[in-house]
Amino acid sequence: MEKEAKKEAFRKYLESCGVLDALTKVLVALYEQHDKPSSAVEFIQQKLGGPSLSDYEKLQTEMSELQIRYNELLAAHQEKCQEFEEFKNSHVQASTKETVEGESPS
């Protein structure tokens, strides 16, 4: 009995969120296709607004390329930050040394 109650609650949830209507419309559109698509899953994904498999693969490739580029830029940025810190420290040391040498003994 508890299992049936869970099923019914889930069905009501899907219905209230509009999932059942959306799936019904997509399945009816698939049924009404005169030339059935080679991939019913891809047809359903496209009708629900998702990317096609080829679009998804292109996006995955692009994301991988962008991640590599990001890592390269991050490494270059960190290197420049380190160089800047070293330059700043050497400049501060030089200024301190000039100040100490420039002071007259009292």
Side-chain angles (χ1 to χ4, degrees):
M1 193 64 158
E2 182 180 326
K3 195 174 191 179
E4 289 299 317
K6 285 183 178 181
K7 283 182 183 179
E8 182 61 23
F10 186 66
R11 189 195 63 73
K12 285 181 181 179
Y13 162 73
L14 293 176
E15 189 174 346
S16 69
C17 293
V19 173
L20 294 180
D21 287 337
L23 288 175
T24 300
K25 288 176 185 176
V26 170
L27 292 174
V28 167
L30 179 59
Y31 175 78
E32 292 175 347
Q33 288 287 310
H34 294 295
D35 298 323
K36 301 293 185 222
S38 60
S39 173
V41 172
E42 193 167 319
F43 177 87
I44 292 169
Q45 286 174 333
Q46 287 174 337
K47 289 293 182 182
L48 289 175
S52 67
L53 183 59
S54 62
D55 288 342
Y56 178 77
E57 289 170 350
K58 287 177 190 174
L59 290 171
Q60 285 290 98
T61 301
E62 183 181 357
M63 188 176 89
S64 295
E65 292 169 357
L66 289 172
Q67 185 66 49
I68 290 168
R69 181 69 178 135
Y70 168 80
N71 291 340
E72 290 170 351
L73 290 171
L74 182 61
H77 173 71
Q78 290 172 338
E79 184 180 324
K80 292 297 179 190
C81 285
Q82 185 177 357
E83 289 174 12
F84 175 70
E85 285 299 319
E86 290 170 0
F87 173 77
K88 192 168 72 171
N89 289 339
S90 67
H91 182 69
V92 167
Q93 289 174 353
S95 295
T96 305
K97 187 176 181 182
E98 288 174 6
T99 305
V100 170
E101 290 175 356
E103 290 180 359
S104 58
S106 307

